[in-house]
Amino acid sequence: MRILPAILTDRADDLEKKIRQAETCTRLVQVDIMDGRFVPSRSINAADLSRVRTTLELELHLMVLEPENQVADFVRGGASRIVFHYEASADPAAVIRTIRAMNVKAGLALNPETPIEPLVQLAPEIDFALFLSVNP
């Protein structure tokens, strides 16, 4: 079992500070990405992430609408694991294939009210799952 620290910020300077802090105690950190469309808030973006050099393994929790349009940018930004929301894409299976084709681990997140059946169907294709206990 792993317990992951999570980073949520909307400022690039704060992102670097928090990554440096995480480097002292872990090898893997989750960074929350919000686009202001799938969820009302906005956070850092792929350009902000790509400016920070780190030895950490970065898991990105994409709370973004149409994640398929942003996956490549985040992989270039340093992601080694990407989890996206089932509810955010018209074709979650295609998003999983896109992520895995870039040699990045793919995860699927479900909002609390989403039935478990989509995850069960896609389970053979993903590396991990994220179950939210609150709506993002």
Side-chain angles (χ1 to χ4, degrees):
M1 176 190 327
R2 285 195 207 179
I3 298 174
L4 301 173
I7 295 174
L8 172 60
T9 185
D10 62 354
R11 295 187 3 247
D13 62 328
D14 193 43
L15 171 66
E16 181 152 10
K17 176 184 166 203
K18 289 179 178 184
I19 283 181
R20 298 295 165 244
Q21 197 173 24
E23 286 173 335
T24 68
C25 62
T26 189
R27 301 290 308 136
L28 173 63
V29 67
Q30 183 184 83
V31 180
D32 290 328
I33 308 294
M34 302 179 297
D35 65 358
R37 294 173 48 212
F38 182 69
V39 296
S41 300
R42 295 185 67 86
S43 67
I44 57 121
N45 58 38
D48 296 327
L49 186 68
S50 67
R51 286 191 280 276
V52 179
R53 299 289 174 241
T54 183
T55 58
L56 290 175
E57 185 178 357
L58 300 176
E59 174 180 297
L60 303 186
H61 175 197
L62 301 185
M63 291 176 272
V64 302
L65 195 60
E66 300 170 341
E68 56 273 19
N69 297 333
Q70 298 183 46
V71 166
D73 291 336
F74 283 112
V75 170
R76 282 191 294 274
S80 57
R81 299 164 51 108
I82 293 179
V83 58
F84 70 96
H85 280 261
Y86 172 81
E87 305 86 359
S89 176
D91 190 353
V95 179
I96 294 166
R97 287 191 300 274
T98 298
I99 293 169
R100 293 179 65 86
M102 295 180 189
N103 294 317
V104 171
K105 292 189 178 187
L108 190 61
L110 294 180
N111 287 341
E113 71 280 352
T114 302
I116 193 75
E117 287 76 22
L119 177 74
V120 171
Q121 291 174 350
L122 293 168
E125 309 305 319
I126 61 173
D127 297 292
F128 60 101
L130 176 61
F131 298 96
L132 276 74
S133 59
V134 297
N135 284 316

